[in-house]
Amino acid sequence: AFASPLPVFLQVIYAIGLSMLLLVPLRRLPAAAQVGLAGALLVACDLLRGTAPDEGAGRFVGLLLFEAGVWSRDGRSLDAIVLYPVLPWLAVMLLGHATGRRLARAPLGARAWLAGGLVCLAGFAALRFADGFGNLGMHRQSGGVLAWLHCSKYPPSLTFLAMERGLMPPFLASRPARAARAVPPTLPGRALLVLRRVPLFFYLLHLSVIGLLAGIGVFDRARGSWLTSWIGAALLTAACLPVCLAYARYKRRGHAWTRYL
């Protein structure tokens, strides 16, 4: 049998690609059914945590669907690494699809965005405070801010998703008022517009740059702090922006293959 010298990494592109295939039939569901299914999937993934077998094909299926971890066919080799199981991210895409359908009918006002964000943040606070269900086993080690924010992303927990969904609406709430006044976007806003036009290109580019910098010793995984991480992320994004802007302009010329990147 063919044996790959490197493990297969199943990450963002795997989860998004398979979720898009599953959305082909699921997109026909009513928006309320999509939201309900998304919630059921997230609850089920939390309840199913740790139920996948320790080895064999059953473990691989569990990793593909709702767990995150590594898989070996023979117990010795490292054949696959799954960081983005499909079911929780399918739930996220279902929520996004339902939201998009609502916005296609009419825009939401600032109050609606803020109310939705507050509900998500309240859910995050309640689940994180209880420190049980919804945390996927990643419990708070202390009462500090970082301990509260250190939620499970691999796979995504309810607390992680509630926190992220709660932080976005305040930014979205400012868009209707800004558009109504015809206010031009700020410099950070223009940067976000560039990244929004070429998200997959930026994802692949920034991974390549990080790998290059790590290879020459610029990034040290064993050292640093959250502040240096934020500064490094900002500098990395700024360095990638000119390349992303150039590609966005190239993409606008209508080259067919750029639809996939």
Side-chain angles (χ1 to χ4, degrees), residues 72-79:
S72 172
R73 286 175 293 181
D74 54 16
R76 298 185 301 274
S77 60
L78 180 57
D79 296 299

Side-chain angles (χ1 to χ4, degrees), residues 4-26:
S4 173
L6 296 174
V8 176
F9 286 85
L10 297 170
Q11 301 188 73
V12 176
I13 298 176
Y14 154 74
I16 292 178
L18 186 52
S19 293
M20 290 177 69
L21 292 176
L22 294 172
L23 276 173
V24 172
L26 294 177

Side-chain angles (χ1 to χ4, degrees), residues 10 14 35 38 50 115-116 121 125 139 193 211 223 260:
L10 297 170
Y14 154 74
V35 173
L121 290 177
H139 303 294
L193 286 175
R223 302 177 61 184
Y260 306 101

Side-chain angles (χ1 to χ4, degrees), residues 125-165:
L127 291 173
R128 202 68 179 133
F129 177 79
D131 205 21
F133 172 80
N135 288 273
L136 284 179
M138 186 170 283
H139 303 294
R140 290 183 289 109
Q141 301 300 316
S142 68
V145 174
L146 291 183
W148 272 77
L149 299 179
H150 190 205
C151 302
S152 173
K153 183 184 176 181
Y154 307 103
S157 63
L158 281 168
T159 50
F160 172 81
L161 294 175
M163 175 178 64
E164 295 297 319
R165 301 288 85 76

Side-chain angles (χ1 to χ4, degrees), residues 18 22 94 122 175 188 197:
L18 186 52
L22 294 172
L94 281 167
R175 294 290 299 170
R197 294 187 180 112

